[in-house]
Amino acid sequence: MARKLRIQYPGAIYHVLNRGNYKSDIFADQGAAHAFVQTLEEAVERYGWRLGAYVVMRNHYHLALQTPEPNLAVGMHWLQCTFATRFNRLRNERGHLFQGRYKAILLETEQDWARVADYIHLNPIRAGIVTPEHMGQFRWSSLMRFHKNMKFNGLSSLGWLHTHGVQDTPQGWEDYIEILRGKHAEAPASGDVEGGELSSGWAIGSAAWKVQTLKDALPDVEASVSSE
């Protein structure tokens, strides 16, 4: 079966995610999580990505990023292959780490980017790893980096944070964390529903934008869009 097309264009925004092979806990120890974040930092700098948010959980990861150049596929290939090589060498193992191809869901607007960033940053709280009172302290999340001003090259909230009406300042991040706490308090069990919506299909956006995006990607094929 032919693989689905990766739609790439300058400035594209994506929600990228993948899980461990057979849902294994590949990031269960701190060494593996640290190695993945370090490799992610290298990929972001190497390919010039704008990484808006990330989280590394026990058996999966989420990224919300923009590609100024149409290079998601080559960058993700480098990221996952490089991490797998380092992981297997460290443990003297071999084999596939991830369950298959990563998902890359296109996002139409900065508001969509913000929704995904919020969902990513709430992952550790919804999983019960940290409490709402300690939101912003999960080590393997961009929220901790932003909150403690520990950003690396390419990690930037430019493009999505302003949709919440806050700024990239110490007070702005305190205000953003309060926004997240409010979202969690209002609907603590909504993560599965929202996660399903933000993690399925090929794109999140208006029907007209989806049609045009497909037409641009497949100019010789009549575009059709499902109701996803």
Side-chain angles (χ1 to χ4, degrees):
M1 181 181 295
R3 288 189 169 190
K4 291 182 179 179
L5 175 70
R6 293 290 191 201
I7 297 178
Q8 303 181 112
Y9 54 86
I13 308 170
Y14 302 91
H15 177 198
V16 179
L17 59 151
N18 209 350
R19 290 185 177 276
N21 202 20
Y22 302 108
K23 297 185 179 180
S24 60
D25 291 347
I26 59 175
F27 303 116
D29 66 80
Q30 293 192 3
H34 174 76
F36 183 82
V37 172
Q38 187 174 52
T39 309
L40 176 61
E41 291 184 35
E42 295 174 39
V44 167
E45 185 163 7
R46 176 184 288 254
Y47 295 99
W49 293 344
R50 286 177 53 202
L51 181 61
Y54 73 85
V55 70
V56 181
M57 305 294 284
R58 290 180 64 90
N59 67 356
H60 66 282
Y61 67 81
H62 293 270
L63 315 174
L65 59 90
Q66 184 176 48
T67 56
E69 300 295 328
N71 60 4
L72 180 74
V74 66
M76 285 302 302
H77 177 78
W78 185 91
L79 169 62
Q80 293 201 150
C81 287
T82 301
F83 170 69
T85 299
R86 294 172 178 176
F87 182 97
N88 287 334
R89 183 187 301 132
L90 182 65
R91 288 161 177 75
N92 195 27
E93 297 178 4
R94 63 178 60 188
H96 297 290
L97 288 185
F98 297 104
Q99 68 177 6
R101 290 186 92 203
Y102 60 90
K103 285 187 178 181
I105 302 164
L106 279 164
L107 309 177
E108 179 181 9
T109 67
E110 293 179 342
Q111 286 74 20
D112 298 323
W113 196 359
R115 286 182 62 207
V116 172
D118 294 352
Y119 171 73
I120 287 173
H121 290 149
L122 282 168
N123 253 245
I125 290 84
R126 286 170 172 155
I129 298 173
V130 296
T131 64
E133 291 75 24
H134 294 93
M135 193 177 295
Q137 297 183 28
F138 182 60
R139 184 175 180 182
W140 313 118
S141 168
S142 51
L143 183 58
M144 185 275 290
R145 294 273 194 161
F146 287 131
H147 186 223
K148 296 188 176 182
N149 195 25
M150 296 171 60
K151 292 176 287 188
F152 51 81
N153 289 339
L155 178 62
S156 171
S157 60
L158 183 65
W160 68 266
L161 183 63
H162 73 95
T163 68
H164 286 295
V166 299
Q167 303 298 318
D168 183 10
T169 63
Q171 184 57 54
W173 288 107
E174 292 291 343
D175 294 340
Y176 173 66
I177 286 175
E178 284 303 314
I179 291 171
L180 291 181
R181 287 190 180 121
K183 289 186 67 171
H184 181 66
E186 289 173 7
S190 68
D192 290 343
V193 175
E194 187 174 33
E197 179 185 348
L198 298 177
S199 303
S200 61
W202 67 273
I204 297 170
S206 65
W209 171 76
K210 290 181 181 180
V211 169
Q212 188 59 54
T213 299
L214 284 179
K215 285 182 177 179
D216 292 342
L218 304 168
D220 298 326
V221 178
E222 174 137 5
S224 63
V225 178
S226 71
S227 59
E228 291 179 309

